[in-house]
């Protein structure tokens, strides 16, 4: 199992060092610094074996986290643990930076003592940890502003105040479509007992204590009992990233959507939830049973009118009962409080590619390139894509670039060796074009320019996979609220993942 | 207020101050002080002096302070064992605390204090905690047993903790079960033969129940433990698989991989015709693909494991090729792994796609990656026979890029392709030979030498090529030396008459001047073989080689089986068994896959039936230096055909060997007036000795060979004979084509007219041992000429000039010999005009007008390349009929049109037209539109390609525009360059 865990700054100075096993000596700390941190370019694997000691590392900005072992550990688990460690630290004190780590070193030691025992990862759910970890996180000056919160609020304003631009940009749709909720307070969880502010130094009563321990060790380790909200509310974000690799001739070499359903739940008690989407297997099953009414009715907006989608694979947060999903394909769970990722999924069939990039690169003589790129938007004309950015790589020996584009702004960025073309907004079924002349310095470099692919970034207000949320039902038998009292919001955002067209 | 301030205290009396603060009455102050102590500890300061003071702070009911003190204790207890005892009482007391969090904390920390004296006191509290009513305490105590076992294994056994731990597997709390399983697994690892983890259907059932309820980490512990179980029959195996499959949808990749491990292992027991078997195979693919969307480090772990899975069960991912395509910004370690898997998955169905990708990768930046991509193309060719031709042409394209490491890598894989498909792709050898000079890596040199030796009969100048390598024989790596030795012997056996001196030279270099035993031994083997029975030698050395198999780097099957049992772990990342990187007894036991149900064997113990899992015969694996070994293998396998027993000092073979050398040296001595020093090694028993006897073995006369060797000019030159004395036999076979040249008639002085660029230096004297060649091309009265100035900048006279061209785009070849009739004395220059024909062999060059030339004189052979203006290829009958011009212009697709700008040209359209006419560019029509003159022109190349042009000239504008249309658009660029040159002259 994990023998020790070290955190270094970019210079290789140790910020945190916790050794769990006797076989890891102090020299292990130095071995990693010398062989990995100080030999950056040569290290070509996240797992390094130095003198029969294995080091696993991940980097967050310029901080190195390294786990050390001398045994045949489960490597996947070590990395998952390191990621989890990063998540927990981020939840406590924001960005992982040298400053924040120094500010919170006592907390980090306490956490490391709790979530890793003799190198075995233990319960590491932030929600549960906060009930019995004595230290509190100290956030640095550079606070992370939760962007999703802000943008949602903006939408609600626009929904009421009719600013159509923003409306389509960030479409946030109440699950009960007829129910339009008003104004700002919507996103503030009613602070009856705000879960964020829980800090329990030492639980005084025996009941409290055993409640904590049973929660930490129990089946629902991610949620504590006794959560109360004045208003029960939940938010679902369907966040997709659409990936594409296209040949210069417009042939799709590979395309897939990796999506996430992120849920923010502000629900009282221990609610039992059931989540439904237009999964082909489920719809087909229901179709045979003759009860397909629900599927057709609840088209909650989005890019296309596809009835159901084929999901290649999905994975779930540990709160979801996997055996139930395996047998009935139903997604049921008791959610953690606050924000978490309910599921991830992947689709490869019938993907709506929001943009098509048509490149034309011509080499004129040895010192000139002519580039023409056309982008076409391929979705409903009523929807607006945002934050469109096309990145056209230029050769290293570029001396000057002239660009003409019909829409947006384009600039040659010498430091990045690329022409960056930005368009704020673009409606569906439109096209736009950029042409550029690239002057090259003559070189005697024999090696040809590799022509990296043209990449694209964008954000669209629909799910390119065609996924739709059909329902999210909440049952809490002990408390007196029903499914209808819960206010639910759904939003779809499709972003570009690696969206490349070769030229 | 933040904690970082604790890092900054650097005052001198620090320890003293801290001591005071630690003993303060105020809780807050104490806490602050402990924090400072811990900060100092982290940065490596020695604060062990504060031990008693810190321990004093332990007795508090403040959980925060307690935790801080424990942290300190864990660090320093070992260095201060006596004082650590002071803490024992508090620990024991804390283990009885009403607060379960404190009880757990105490037992957890105690286990971390590795002091023998303390462990004795630990036993009682631990026993209590293992049976604590609170699950949090029990799960902590379970791990503590493993800690204690690590310190004192005997104590744990004596105290009966192991039984208590086993009981915890039946605990009601899933997390307690998980931790107990983890602890037991670890302890069991260091007791390979104990039946500690007594897994039976009942406990398995309990584990499977806990699996659904415990944390993600607990699930990993349980799954990893399950993987060690061997089900009794296929039904049990199936029922476990059914209960494990839901884990494949877990968000935690480690849970998924551990589940995959269990399934991969238990699947071995399922009969293949079972429906469920197929279902399971189908279920495995999507989660494995999903792992590739995880963070890069996890992707890496996943890919290393997929690599194993694909080798064991290729059917699972055979349709998922695309997901392994490399993304531009994947980290390099992910790229390399993906490439590996792509090759493993390559099949006839997807080979086109794979090749297109690989070609793309071969132009990337990272050298390692590019090399691997090139190598992958070769592996595809070997794996998928139908694709071989495509692969070879792709490799040739890559060689044309002239990127050094790409060329070298390509040559290495082409050698393998030759091995796999003999007598199929030898036409590419010429291209390979062109790159001979750029090879500087041993592997590539060795590969090239192997090719030359293997196909010596088809390469006209094989002897020359090999000889050039021989010059720096001692600087080459062993790999190259061995290869060179073998290649020259092969050459000798194929062309015995011309290469005797060469083989003698290499044999003496290998046997006498080398201190590498491998090289020496091989040299002697060849030597004896050749001298005893050349026919037998031929059979041995030129024997048919066994074909190489498709996979070059399959993991050996038993290792693969073991690694499959270690999916998800470090072993699977390193592709090594745990014993290779784990110290001590841990993990040394070898895991095996269970036998399949159909085998009829009993599968009670994991050790039996292991072989039954491997039904297929292990594929032959070629060793990394396949051909070297192959050759030696041939030597070993072929029974001696001729004179009986293997070499022994007294045998007839030995005599032959002695004689060969003897004769040779004898004659050598005859040639030179004084006997040369004889570099014989006396340390080997086989050392040949001088002998004048010559018993002739059948079919071949060693005396004859020896005699010839003696007279050989190469040897003579080696001993310092003057170059002028070089006999004709040496200069003649420089290359086959050269001889013809000398016969043809000579150069003609010609009237001017066509454009001819000024002379440039083609071959600087520095590179050619004093010979400088500058030159140009011209077309005079319909004859293409290469006009050269040869200058001798060396100290000695140069004679015996000859010239030869490499194959080129337009088949240019010398139409006569190089007319240098008188010897060229030092500091003398001579003008030569060499008429050229266009009927030579054609090969497309990059750039198109590139010409590679070899010039020989009495000193050496020199190579250079130059570019000719394409205008000299424009023939006199290049004027097209107007109608034909119009039709052709329309007929050629617009894609073939290219447009160029000629800047700063101050000719009128008529002047330009006249000027161009001189170079056989014919104006067919002229049109004037809005002050712009459009000239329509045609020209014809020697190989019959027509080029049509539209030249736009605007009065007062020095910039012309030329549009060129041609059915072979690749010439446009060259034509344009000529246009520019012609107009500006």
């Amino acid at each position: 199992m994990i023998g020790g865990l070290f955190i270094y700054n970019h210079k290789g100075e140790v910020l945190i060092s916790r050794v769990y096993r006797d076989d890891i000596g102090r020299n292990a700390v130095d071995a990693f610094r010398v062989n990995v941190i100080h030999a950056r370019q040569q290290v070509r694997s996240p797992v390094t074996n130095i003198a029969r000691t294995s080091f696993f590392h991940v980097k967050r900005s310029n901080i190195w986290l390294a786990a050390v072992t001398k045994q045949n550990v489960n490597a996947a688990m070590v990395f998952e643990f390191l990621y989890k460690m990063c998540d927990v630290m981020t939840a406590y004190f924001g960005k992982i930076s040298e400053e924040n780590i120094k500010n919170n070193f006592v907390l980090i030691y306490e956490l490391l003592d709790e979530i890793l025992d003799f190198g075995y990862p233990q319960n590491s759910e932030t929600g549960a940890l906060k009930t019995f970890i004595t230290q509190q996180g100290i956030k640095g000056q550079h606070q992370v502003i939760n962007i999703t919160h802000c943008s949602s609020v903006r939408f609600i304003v626009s929904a009421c105040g009719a600013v159509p631009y923003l409306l389509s940009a960030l479409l946030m749709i109440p699950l009960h479509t007829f129910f339009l909720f008003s104004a700002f307070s919507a996103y503030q969880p009613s602070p009856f007992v705000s879960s964020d502010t829980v800090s329990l130094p030492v639980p005084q009563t025996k009941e409290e204590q055993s409640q904590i321990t049973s929660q930490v060790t129990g089946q629902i380790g991610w949620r504590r009992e006794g959560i109360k909200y004045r208003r029960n509310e939940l938010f679902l974000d369907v966040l997709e990233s659409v990936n594409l690799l296209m040949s210069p001739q417009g042939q799709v070499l590979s395309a897939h959507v990796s999506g996430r359903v992120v849920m923010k739940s502000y629900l009282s008690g221990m609610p039992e939830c059931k989540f439904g989407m237009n999964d082909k297997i489920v719809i087909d099953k229901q179709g045979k049973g003759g009860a397909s009414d629900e599927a057709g009715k609840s088209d909650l907006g989005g890019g296309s009118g596809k009835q159901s989608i084929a999901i290649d694979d999905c994975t779930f947060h540990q709160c979801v009962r996997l055996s139930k999903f395996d047998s009935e394909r139903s997604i049921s769970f008791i959610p953690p409080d606050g924000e978490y990722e309910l599921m991830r999924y992947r689709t490869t069939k019938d993907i709506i590619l929001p943009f098509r990039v048509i490149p034309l690169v011509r080499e004129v003589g040895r010192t000139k390139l002519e580039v023409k790129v056309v982008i076409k938007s391929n979705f409903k004309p009523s929807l607006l894509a945002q934050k469109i950015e096309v990145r056209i790589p230029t050769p290293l020996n570029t001396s000057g670039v002239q660009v003409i584009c019909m829409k947006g702004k384009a600039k040659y960025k010498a430091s990045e060796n690329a022409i960056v073309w930005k368009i704020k907004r673009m409606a569906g079924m439109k096209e736009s074009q950029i042409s550029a002349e690239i002057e090259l310095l003559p070189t005697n470099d024999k090696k040809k320019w590799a022509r990296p692919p043209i990449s694209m970034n964008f954000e669209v207000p629909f799910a390119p996979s065609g996924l739709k949320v059909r329902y999210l039902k909440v049952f809490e038998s002990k408390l007196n609220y029903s499914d209808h009292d819960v206010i639910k919001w759904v939003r779809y955002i499709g972003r570009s993942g690696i969206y490349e067209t070769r030229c | 207020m933040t904690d970082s301030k604790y890092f900054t205290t650097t005052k001198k009396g620090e320890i003293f101050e801290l001591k005071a603060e630690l003993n303060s009455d105020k809780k807050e102050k104490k806490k602050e002080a402990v924090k400072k102590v811990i900060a100092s500890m982290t940065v490596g300061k020695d604060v062990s002096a504060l031990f008693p003071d810190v321990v004093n702070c332990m007795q508090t009911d403040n959980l925060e302070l307690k935790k801080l003190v424990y942290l300190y204790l864990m660090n320093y207890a070992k260095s201060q064992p006596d004082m650590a005892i002071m803490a024992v009482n508090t620990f024991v007391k804390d283990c009885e605390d009403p607060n379960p969090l404190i009880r757990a904390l105490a037992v957890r920390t105690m286990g971390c204090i590795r002091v023998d004296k303390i462990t004795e006191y630990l036993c009682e509290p631990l026993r209590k905690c293992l049976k604590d009513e609170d699950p949090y305490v029990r799960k902590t105590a379970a791990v503590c047993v493993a800690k204690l076992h690590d310190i004192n294994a005997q104590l744990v056994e004596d105290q009966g903790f192991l039984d208590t731990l086993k009981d915890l597997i039946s605990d009601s709390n899933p997390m307690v079960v998980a931790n107990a399983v983890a602890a037991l697994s670890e302890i069991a690892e260091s007791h390979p033969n104990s039946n500690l983890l007594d897994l039976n259907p009942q406990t398995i059932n309990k584990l499977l129940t806990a699996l659904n309820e415990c944390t993600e980490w607990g699930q990993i512990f349980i799954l990893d433990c399950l993987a060690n179980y061997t089900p009794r029959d296929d039904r049990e195996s199936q029922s476990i698989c059914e209960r494990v499959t839901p884990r494949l949808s877990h968000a935690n990749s480690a849970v998924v991989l551990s589940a995959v491990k269990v399934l991969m292992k238990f699947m071995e027991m399922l009969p293949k015709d079972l429906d469920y078997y197929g279902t399971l195979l189908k279920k495995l693919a999507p989660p494995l693909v999903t792992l590739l969307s995880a963070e890069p480090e996890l992707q890496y772990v996943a890919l290393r494991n997929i690599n194993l899975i694909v080798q064991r069960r290729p059917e699972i991912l055979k349709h998922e090729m695309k997901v392994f395509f490399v993304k531009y910004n994947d980290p390099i370690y992910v790229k390399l792994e993906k490439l590996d898997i792509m090759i493993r998955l390559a099949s006839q169905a997807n080979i086109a796609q794979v090749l297109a990708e690989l070609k793309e990768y071969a132009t990337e930046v990272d050298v390692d990656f590019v090399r691997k991509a090139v190598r992958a193309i070769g592996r595809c060719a070997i794996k998928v026979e139908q694709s071989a031709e495509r692969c070879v042409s792709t490799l040739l394209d890559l060689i044309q890029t002239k990127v050094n490491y790409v060329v070298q890598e390509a040559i290495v894989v082409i050698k393998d392709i030759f091995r796999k498909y003999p007598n199929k792709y030898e036409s590419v050898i010429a291209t390979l030979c062109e790159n001979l000079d750029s090879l500087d890596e041993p592997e590539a040199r060795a590969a090239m030498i192997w090719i030359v030796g293997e196909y010596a009969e088809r390469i006209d100048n094989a002897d020359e090529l090999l000889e050039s390598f021989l010059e720096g024989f001692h600087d080459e790596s062993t790999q190259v030396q061995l290869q060179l030795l073998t290649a020259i012997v092969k050459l000798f056996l194929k062309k015995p008459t011309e290469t005797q001196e060469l083989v003698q030279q290499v044999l003496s270099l290998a046997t006498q001047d080398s201190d590498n035993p491998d090289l020496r031994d091989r040299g002697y083997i060849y030597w004896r073989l050749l001298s005893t029975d050349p026919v037998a030698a031929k059979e041995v050395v030129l024997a048919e080689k066994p074909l190489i198999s498709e996979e070059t780097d399959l993991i050996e099957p038993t290792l693969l089986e073991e690694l499959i049992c270690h999916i998800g772990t470090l072993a699977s990342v390193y592709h090594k068994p745990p014993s290779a990187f784990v110290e001590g007894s841990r993990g040394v036991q070898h895991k095996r896959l269970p036998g399949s149900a159909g085998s009829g064997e009993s599968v009670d113990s994991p050790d039996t039936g292991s072989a039954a899992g491997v039904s297929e015969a292990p594929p032959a694996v070629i060793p990394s230096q396949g051909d070297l070994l192959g050759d030696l293998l041939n030597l070993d396998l072929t029974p001696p055909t001729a004179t009986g027993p293997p070499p022994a000092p007294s045998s007839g073979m030995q005599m032959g060997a002695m004689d060969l050398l003897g004769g040779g040296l004898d004659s050598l001595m005859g040639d030179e007036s004084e006997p040369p020093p004889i570099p014989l090694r006396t340390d080997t028993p086989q050392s040949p000795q001088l002998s004048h006897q010559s018993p002739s073995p059948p079919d071949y006369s060693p005396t004859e060979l020896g005699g010839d060797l003696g007279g050989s000019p190469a040897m003579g030159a080696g001993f310092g004979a003057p170059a002028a004395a070089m006999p004709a036999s040496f200069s003649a076979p420089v290359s086959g084509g050269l001889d013809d040249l000398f016969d043809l008639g000579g150069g003609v002085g010609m009237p001017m007219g066509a454009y001819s660029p000024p002379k440039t230096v083609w071959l600087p004297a520095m590179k050619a041992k004093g010979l400088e060649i500058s030159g140009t091309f011209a077309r005079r009265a319909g004859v293409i000429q290469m006009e050269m100035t040869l200058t001798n900048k060396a100290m000695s006279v140069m004679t015996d000039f000859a010239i030869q061209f490499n194959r080129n785009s337009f088949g240019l070849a010398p139409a006569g010999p190089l007319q240098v009739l008188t010897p060229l004395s030092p500091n003398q220059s001579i003008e030569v005009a060499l008429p050229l024909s266009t009927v030579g062999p054609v090969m497309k060059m990059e750039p198109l007008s590139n010409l590679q030339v070899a010039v020989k004189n009495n000193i050496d052979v020199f190579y250079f390349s130059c570019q000719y203006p394409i205008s000299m290829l424009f023939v006199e009958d290049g004027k097209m009929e107007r109608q034909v011009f119009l039709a052709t212009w329309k007929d050629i697709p617009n894609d073939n049109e290219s447009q160029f700008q000629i800047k700063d040209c101050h000719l009128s359209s008529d002047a330009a037209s006249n000027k161009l006419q001189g170079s056989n560019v014919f104006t067919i029509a002229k049109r004037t539109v809005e002050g712009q003159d459009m000239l329509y022109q045609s020209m014809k190349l020697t190989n019959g390609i027509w080029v049509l042009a539209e030249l736009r000239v605007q009065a007062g504008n020095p910039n012309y525009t030329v549009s060129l249309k041609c059915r072979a658009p690749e010439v446009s660029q060259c034509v344009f360059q000529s246009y520019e040159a012609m107009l500006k002259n």
Side-chain angles (χ1 to χ4, degrees), chain A residues 82-114:
Chain A
L82 288 174
Y83 300 144
K84 190 62 149 198
M85 182 73 207
C86 292
D87 290 349
V88 171
M89 289 198 288
T90 312
Y92 264 100
F93 52 76
K95 190 172 174 279
I96 296 177
S97 64
E98 183 170 356
E99 185 199 2
N100 278 343
I101 286 171
K102 280 187 171 171
N103 282 343
N104 291 286
F105 84 96
V106 179
L107 164 71
I108 295 173
Y109 276 122
E110 189 179 346
L111 284 171
L112 282 178
D113 199 37
E114 189 56 54

Side-chain angles (χ1 to χ4, degrees), chain A residues 112-167:
Chain A
L112 282 178
D113 199 37
E114 189 56 54
I115 59 180
L116 210 51
D117 190 4
F118 201 44
Y120 289 105
Q122 305 291 306
N123 192 326
S124 46
E125 289 297 315
T126 320
L129 287 172
K130 283 192 172 170
T131 60
F132 67 104
I133 289 290
T134 60
Q135 302 290 328
Q136 285 171 48
I138 302 156
K139 301 201 177 188
Q141 287 107 334
H142 314 291
Q143 290 255 351
V144 183
I145 298 159
N146 194 329
I147 295 158
T148 43
H149 274 242
C150 299
S151 49
S152 321
V153 172
R154 190 163 54 162
F155 155 68
I156 293 162
V157 175
S158 63
C160 309
V163 186
Y165 258 175
L166 292 170
L167 177 66

Side-chain angles (χ1 to χ4, degrees), chain A residues 21 44 114 120 135 313, chain B residues 64 67 136 186 290 366:
Chain A
R21 300 245 167 175
R44 315 208 107 192
E114 189 56 54
Y120 289 105
Q135 302 290 328
D313 188 36
Chain B
E64 186 182 357
K67 282 187 175 180
Y136 185 77
E186 182 171 341
T290 298
D366 190 285

Side-chain angles (χ1 to χ4, degrees), chain B residues 677-946:
Chain B
I678 302 161
L680 283 185
R681 307 191 65 89
T682 48
D683 54 344
T684 62
Q686 297 104 320
S687 263
Q689 287 153 19
L690 288 174
S691 160
H692 293 272
Q693 300 161 324
S694 52
S696 314
D699 295 334
Y700 206 88
S701 155
T703 29
E704 187 190 34
L705 178 60
D708 268 16
L709 280 173
S712 117
M715 290 302 270
F719 283 96
M726 192 174 293
S729 66
F730 179 57
S731 52
V734 165
S735 72
L738 211 58
D739 297 82
D740 312 352
L741 300 179
F742 293 97
D743 307 330
L744 291 170
V748 217
M750 279 305 141
M752 307 293 284
Y755 159 71
S756 161
K759 280 186 179 173
T760 49
V761 175
W762 285 338
L763 183 69
M766 295 267 289
K767 283 191 178 167
K769 303 185 180 167
L771 176 67
E772 188 187 76
I773 301 177
S774 58
T776 182
F777 293 90
R779 186 179 185 89
R780 300 188 201 280
V783 178
I784 304 164
Q785 296 221 4
M786 187 173 181
E787 298 175 340
M788 288 178 288
T789 309
L790 311 181
T791 312
N792 183 352
K793 295 194 169 174
M795 303 302 285
S796 57
V797 178
M798 293 179 182
T799 55
D800 296 340
F801 284 94
I803 192 164
Q804 196 187 19
F805 292 176
N806 201 345
R807 290 193 286 176
N808 53 70
S809 314
F810 294 96
L812 284 175
L818 196 58
Q819 297 283 336
V820 187
L821 300 171
T822 47
L824 197 57
S825 357
N827 284 325
Q828 197 193 352
S829 286
I830 189 170
E831 300 277 341
V832 206
L834 180 72
L836 305 181
S837 72
T838 53
V839 293
V842 174
M843 187 182 69
K844 197 180 159 194
M845 301 293 291
E846 188 63 48
L848 211 58
S849 60
N850 197 20
L851 180 66
Q852 296 178 336
V853 184
V855 169
K856 184 191 84 72
N857 62 8
N858 57 333
I859 294 168
D860 205 340
V861 183
F862 309 108
Y863 303 91
F864 63 88
S865 68
C866 52
Q867 286 191 28
Y868 45 87
I870 205 165
S871 60
M872 69 175 205
L873 299 172
F874 296 165
V875 295
E876 278 69 22
D877 63 344
K879 184 157 188 167
M880 216 178 222
E881 289 294 310
R882 288 184 87 140
Q883 293 307 317
V884 182
F885 183 93
L886 260 175
T888 317
W889 185 270
K890 279 185 194 152
D891 198 24
I892 296 174
N894 282 333
D895 286 352
N896 284 10
E897 180 175 356
S898 34
Q899 204 172 65
F900 304 93
Q901 291 274 338
I902 299 173
K903 289 187 175 148
D904 290 310
C905 194
H906 299 280
L907 296 168
S908 72
S909 59
D910 287 336
S913 173
N914 284 337
K915 204 161 188 178
L916 291 171
Q917 179 106 33
S919 296
N920 294 339
V921 179
F922 300 95
T923 305
I924 289 156
K926 182 178 160 183
R927 214 151 55 103
T928 308
V929 184
E930 294 167 356
Q932 200 175 31
D933 288 338
M934 326 261 259
L935 298 176
Y936 294 93
Q937 302 173 314
S938 73
M939 57 224 97
K940 187 180 161 190
L941 297 176
T942 47
N943 57 358
I945 294 178
W946 285 90

